Amino acid sequence: MSEPGKSLLSSPTSSGGQPVGSDTYKGWLYKWTNYLKGYQRRWFVLSNGLLSYYRTQAEMAHTCRGTISLTTAHIEVGDACHLVLTSGGRSYHLKATSDGESQRWVSALQQAKANASHMMHQSDDSGDEAPVPQPDRALTQGALKTLASKLDDLSTCNELIGKHGAALQRSLSELEDLRTATDGTDKLKTVNERATLFRITSNAMINACRDFLDVAETHSRRWQRALQYEREQRHHLEETIEQLAKQHNSLERAWREAPSTHPDGGERTQEGDASDENEDTEFFDAMEDSPAFITVTASDHTQHRRSGSNQSIMSGGLPNSEWSHNENDSGSNNVQLRRVRRSRIPNKPNYSLNLWSIMKNCIGKELSKIPMPVNFNEPLSMLQRLTEDLEYSDLLDRASRCESSLEQMCLVAAFSVSSYSTTIHRTAKPFNPLLGETYELDRLDDFGYRSICEQVSHHPPAAAHHVTSQRGWTLWQEITIDSKFRGKYISVMPLGCIHLQFHSSGNHYVWGKVTSTVHNIIVGKLWIDQSGDIEIVNHRTKDTCHLKFVPYSYFSRDLSRKVTGVVADSEGTAHHIMSGTWDDKMESAKIVESSRGCGGSEGKQKTLYQTLQPKVLWKKYTLPENSENMHFFSSLALTLNEPEEGVAPTDSRLRPDQRLMEAGLWDEANAHKQRLEERQRLERKKREAQATQVLEEGQDIEGFQPLWFERRTDDSTGESTYVYRGGYWEAKDKQDWSQCPEIF
């Protein structure tokens, strides 16, 4: 706050505004509001040809009160430090406290207007077909931020219109019920006031819509050209990579088929094979044996970046068949091409349906018991979503090679966080699996693991999962879903433990999951948040890692979707600090010194840690092109429901309603979904009737028994859980599915 008599406009210094001609100019000005309040002090920001204002500087992070584009604006300088900006029927009446301050703002505004007009004319002259060599990143980010703020304004106006409209309706109803003239005068005054509020809010809504359209139209053509240019570059790159792969295959064939020219005859082939083996070993060292994250040397950093690049290619940057020959045994003369898995699914149809109309009578109920059409589903079952946790299984491959259990714990913690990265845009509900439904994922050829899931209970819904990797680890879990609909939001609470054991060391890690919450069920855009704590315990060494998923708060200054954690040994001594976000990346920093600080709440002292430079353990993969029209699926998720031969007849890929939904036939999918749910209800009633009969006869009740899993007591934790009993992959090899029930 400025003191009386001091400048209310920040001077062009590093602490206030910025010099004229720079990208951004900030400062305080007085803005005319209305005849009751007159001029009010506001914080103005001039950036990228847009003048925005806020009540305070703190509001810049979340609420923009208004924006005017200078491209078509008229700047009028009045007397007594006044200036007026007019654009699209809107006017800002502004006032500075001195002629010098007013002149600086006028100069900055005129310069910004000239730059914006020049950029627009240059954009128009270039034509729609011309590519954009390098889009102005700052301009794009500024426009996106402005559009987001306009959407927030629209949402706020929408809520206010609803509020004032309801109040006006109540006043009108009360006015109709009046009997005396005296009461009528007071009520009429109230109605006029509320009608005025409603009119003001409506005008604000109209102005916010106009601003949004102005900004969108200004930047749409530039973005379209930039997008077209990127598509052409991507297509050109794909063609280049395809040509390189073909040349590589041709050279390899020519080398293998060439006659021996070495003086020692057969020695050439032997040396050549040894050379191949060395090259393969070097390739895999770069891909898998990434350096320990504690190392801070520049060479290790370079190698780590090279490793990340290779992993990116392995995870879907190139078709599998293009690089599979790198993993052949050194003595092989044949190149076996692997299956190229799909990289897209049909676009999601644009069907509109009111979620509130379906769920308004279901408040307080369990989500799995609410009958819902496929319009609110995504074409994956809960078993497939559980399998999707393996998106970043390379973290476990790296962890299996760690000699230090504490470093291994850091990678396990990063893996536990990475499983939530695919949920950031995924607000749709997966299909509830039918009792006895299974899902297998065999990726031994490229990722080194294969996975099997089975629905072991329907109420409450519970699934068992088992994964075996050839790269030194085994993972198993039993997850029960507890969900509640609370009116404005849905909470999904996974109950159960995830177990991970490394073969070489015998380290056995156990942890749980956090609560997922979907907000804005009634009105607004759906968004998802993860919150809660995860405690990871190594039952062999007693090392622990405590992770905290910070819930979103409108008033918090913390980073959204933030995750923090501490890795400690069996004695409770902290060794590593974990930090990051569950939708982007996780880092680890080694602690070199710790000390007791002060200022903790309730008299508790805070611990201060001094750490080395943090190292990135996990970074989220970029979503595939057009993912926004494909349910925001990742590269792995796009392949999960791909038809595959030889799977069990209970596999989720064979579920008809899910298959029809993926194809875009939602009406047919809804019909099949109702049929399957009715059939499952009849089966449950049949089992309940049989159980009642057995009780009456005084016999023991034997409930539903899963086919591939059985309940056992875990030796490390002492908990009873479903574990894999074996036999599935043997049955698949024999194609003997006679034990499987007919559930579809």
Side-chain angles (χ1 to χ4, degrees):
M1 296 292 293
S2 299
E3 297 177 6
K6 291 194 175 182
S7 172
L8 295 175
L9 173 68
S10 60
S11 60
T13 63
S14 59
S15 62
Q18 293 179 342
V20 175
S22 64
D23 293 337
T24 303
Y25 194 88
K26 306 175 183 178
W28 292 102
L29 281 174
Y30 278 106
K31 177 183 178 295
W32 176 261
T33 55
N34 53 51
Y35 286 101
L36 293 177
K37 296 184 178 180
Y39 282 94
Q40 294 293 316
R41 188 169 179 260
R42 297 289 183 260
W43 177 256
F44 280 82
V45 177
L46 175 60
S47 177
N48 300 317
L50 301 172
L51 180 66
S52 306
Y53 76 92
Y54 312 83
R55 287 184 178 174
T56 63
Q57 297 184 47
E59 278 195 348
M60 291 179 62
H62 52 79
T63 304
C64 177
R65 299 295 173 176
T67 300
I68 191 169
S69 174
L70 297 180
T71 306
T72 58
H74 174 67
I75 304 173
E76 180 182 351
V77 181
D79 298 332
C81 308
H82 285 76
L83 58 148
V84 181
L85 272 67
T86 305
S87 177
R90 300 189 64 189
S91 297
Y92 284 178
H93 294 262
L94 308 176
K95 182 175 69 172
T97 56
S98 68
D99 291 335
E101 293 166 354
S102 176
Q103 186 58 45
R104 282 194 293 271
W105 268 104
V106 170
S107 300
L109 291 169
Q110 290 176 343
Q111 181 65 42
K113 174 179 170 63
N115 293 341
S117 300
H118 176 72
M119 187 173 297
M120 187 180 70
H121 293 321
Q122 188 178 34
S123 174
D124 292 340
D125 294 340
S126 62
D128 290 342
E129 300 297 329
V132 179
Q134 286 293 336
D136 190 340
R137 184 177 183 85
L139 179 61
T140 301
Q141 291 179 345
L144 288 174
K145 184 177 180 180
T146 304
L147 288 173
S149 69
K150 294 302 176 187
L151 286 176
D152 291 339
D153 293 344
L154 289 174
S155 177
T156 302
C157 289
N158 182 54
E159 294 177 1
L160 290 175
I161 285 176
K163 177 182 177 180
H164 295 318
L168 179 60
Q169 185 64 43
R170 287 195 304 270
S171 297
L172 290 173
S173 299
E174 293 172 357
L175 189 61
E176 292 176 356
D177 298 336
L178 290 179
R179 298 179 179 177
T180 64
T182 305
D183 294 339
T185 302
D186 296 336
K187 291 297 181 181
L188 187 59
K189 183 179 179 181
T190 303
V191 169
N192 288 332
E193 291 176 352
R194 291 181 174 175
T196 301
L197 285 174
F198 186 76
R199 184 178 67 256
I200 293 172
T201 309
S202 301
N203 289 335
M205 183 73 166
I206 294 171
N207 290 334
C209 291
R210 186 184 295 116
D211 288 346
F212 182 86
L213 288 175
D214 288 344
V215 176
E217 290 174 357
T218 300
H219 297 277
S220 61
R221 181 180 297 180
R222 183 182 186 89
W223 287 344
Q224 288 173 1
R225 290 199 308 276
L227 180 61
Q228 180 62 28
Y229 174 75
E230 293 298 333
R231 285 176 176 170
E232 292 174 357
Q233 291 297 311
R234 178 186 176 91
H235 180 68
H236 176 70
L237 181 60
E238 289 175 348
E239 290 181 344
T240 303
I241 292 175
E242 184 178 359
Q243 292 295 327
L244 288 174
K246 290 179 180 178
Q247 293 176 15
H248 184 91
N249 288 337
S250 299
L251 289 173
E252 187 179 60
R253 267 197 312 274
W255 182 86
R256 292 186 183 279
E257 295 172 359
S260 174
T261 58
H262 196 276
D264 296 334
E267 291 296 318
R268 176 191 181 279
T269 303
Q270 183 176 357
E271 291 178 1
D273 289 344
S275 175
D276 275 353
E277 184 176 359
N278 290 336
E279 287 178 348
D280 283 346
T281 304
E282 190 173 317
F283 174 82
F284 282 112
D285 282 345
M287 181 189 69
E288 296 180 351
D289 293 338
S290 54
F293 45 83
I294 298 176
T295 307
V296 293
T297 60
S299 59
D300 284 345
H301 179 63
T302 303
Q303 184 180 3
H304 181 69
R305 291 181 60 186
R306 179 185 174 192
S307 168
S309 175
N310 285 333
Q311 290 173 356
S312 174
I313 294 176
M314 295 286 284
S315 64
L318 288 174
N320 295 354
S321 58
E322 298 294 346
W323 50 261
S324 59
H325 58 272
N326 285 325
E327 296 192 4
N328 282 344
D329 293 333
S330 58
S332 173
N333 290 326
N334 297 320
V335 179
Q336 298 179 352
L337 299 182
R338 298 194 192 116
R339 171 184 175 181
V340 178
R341 299 184 182 272
R342 69 182 185 181
S343 59
R344 63 170 291 108
I345 59 175
N347 285 354
K348 176 183 177 182
N350 187 18
Y351 290 158
S352 61
L353 193 61
N354 188 354
L355 178 60
W356 178 243
S357 64
I358 294 176
M359 304 192 68
K360 62 184 178 181
N361 297 322
C362 304
I363 297 177
K365 293 184 180 179
E366 187 178 338
L367 188 61
S368 62
K369 296 183 180 180
I370 301 175
M372 297 176 64
V374 300
N375 303 54
F376 303 114
N377 287 83
E378 61 179 17
L380 291 177
S381 74
M382 191 62 204
L383 301 181
Q384 291 165 313
R385 282 290 292 267
L386 207 59
T387 306
E388 200 178 344
D389 288 354
L390 301 172
E391 176 96 36
Y392 299 94
S393 62
D394 60 293
L395 290 170
L396 301 184
D397 298 340
R398 291 163 55 191
S400 68
R401 298 189 297 271
C402 283
E403 296 181 359
S404 168
S405 63
L406 293 172
E407 296 173 13
Q408 189 178 75
M409 173 68 84
C410 292
L411 288 167
V412 172
F415 173 78
S416 69
V417 175
S418 70
S419 62
Y420 298 96
S421 64
T422 61
T423 66
I424 180 63
H425 301 295
R426 304 266 290 278
T427 55
K429 175 178 174 288
F431 280 80
N432 287 331
L434 303 177
L435 190 61
E437 186 174 332
T438 61
Y439 179 74
E440 68 155 82
L441 184 64
D442 190 346
R443 301 300 292 266
L444 284 176
D445 56 345
D446 45 4
F447 298 140
Y449 68 78
R450 57 184 181 183
S451 160
I452 176 66
C453 290
E454 183 177 9
Q455 188 76 357
V456 296
S457 172
H458 187 64
H459 285 304
H465 184 204
H466 182 85
V467 190
T468 302
S469 172
Q470 293 179 336
R471 299 176 183 176
W473 53 270
T474 299
L475 182 146
W476 67 97
Q477 60 181 319
E478 178 196 346
I479 298 296
T480 301
I481 302 298
D482 183 17
S483 54
K484 292 293 183 182
F485 173 51
R486 302 298 186 184
K488 292 184 179 180
Y489 61 90
I490 293 175
S491 294
V492 180
M493 296 150 284
L495 308 176
C497 293
I498 304 170
H499 296 256
L500 172 66
Q501 188 165 27
F502 291 100
H503 302 165
S504 59
S505 64
N507 287 337
H508 181 183
Y509 297 87
V510 180
W511 69 93
K513 287 181 172 286
V514 297
T515 299
S516 302
T517 306
V518 181
H519 296 270
N520 287 352
I521 299 300
I522 298 177
V523 65
K525 183 179 179 182
L526 294 175
W527 62 278
I528 193 168
D529 192 26
Q530 314 288 348
S531 60
D533 295 346
I534 292 180
E535 188 78 20
I536 308 176
V537 179
N538 182 344
H539 283 272
R540 190 183 73 84
T541 64
K542 306 305 179 184
D543 299 337
T544 61
C545 176
H546 182 84
L547 293 173
K548 181 176 181 59
F549 287 64
V550 181
Y552 171 80
S553 173
Y554 181 81
F555 302 101
S556 175
R557 296 183 179 180
D558 286 339
L559 191 67
S560 298
R561 299 176 280 277
K562 182 179 179 181
V563 180
T564 59
V566 177
V567 175
D569 59 21
S570 58
E571 297 179 355
T573 304
H575 290 266
H576 296 271
I577 296 294
M578 304 291 296
S579 62
T581 59
W582 54 262
D583 68 322
D584 184 25
K585 66 179 180 180
M586 284 297 293
E587 297 177 336
S588 168
K590 183 175 177 59
I591 298 173
V592 294
E593 185 179 350
S594 62
S595 60
R596 290 289 181 181
C598 60
S601 59
E602 299 179 359
K604 297 180 180 179
Q605 289 184 327
K606 293 183 179 180
T607 303
L608 303 178
Y609 295 111
Q610 182 180 352
T611 66
L612 298 178
Q613 190 71 17
K615 298 295 181 182
V616 177
L617 299 182
W618 160 73
K619 177 73 176 174
K620 181 184 176 182
Y621 299 146
T622 303
L623 290 176
E625 184 181 3
N626 195 42
S627 63
E628 67 275 8
N629 295 319
M630 298 186 294
H631 308 275
F632 287 98
F633 280 179
S634 64
S635 298
L636 176 63
L638 287 173
T639 67
L640 292 180
N641 205 42
E642 186 175 7
E644 195 159 323
E645 297 180 358
V647 299
T650 54
D651 197 273
S652 298
R653 299 177 180 88
L654 305 177
R655 181 165 173 163
D657 51 351
Q658 187 173 303
R659 178 63 57 196
L660 288 168
M661 184 201 173
E662 182 186 279
L665 305 174
W666 286 16
D667 292 337
E668 294 85 345
N670 276 319
H672 276 278
K673 186 173 185 291
Q674 292 177 6
R675 176 184 62 82
L676 291 174
E677 289 175 347
E678 182 61 29
R679 178 175 179 177
Q680 184 161 244
R681 279 191 289 269
L682 293 176
E683 289 291 333
R684 185 176 71 252
K685 290 180 180 179
K686 182 179 178 181
R687 287 194 300 271
E688 290 174 352
Q690 292 175 348
T692 302
Q693 183 179 357
V694 170
L695 275 176
E696 292 175 351
E697 296 175 356
Q699 301 178 11
D700 294 333
I701 302 177
E702 184 176 351
F704 174 80
Q705 296 298 320
L707 191 57
W708 311 111
F709 289 81
E710 62 183 4
R711 186 169 288 282
R712 295 180 194 165
T713 300
D714 186 85
D715 295 335
S716 300
T717 64
E719 297 177 352
S720 177
T721 183
Y722 278 101
V723 296
Y724 180 56
R725 72 169 73 194
Y728 178 87
W729 303 107
E730 293 77 6
K732 183 180 180 182
D733 291 339
K734 299 176 183 178
Q735 283 299 293
D736 179 11
W737 304 116
S738 56
Q739 304 178 70
C740 294
E742 183 181 347
I743 60 174
F744 299 139

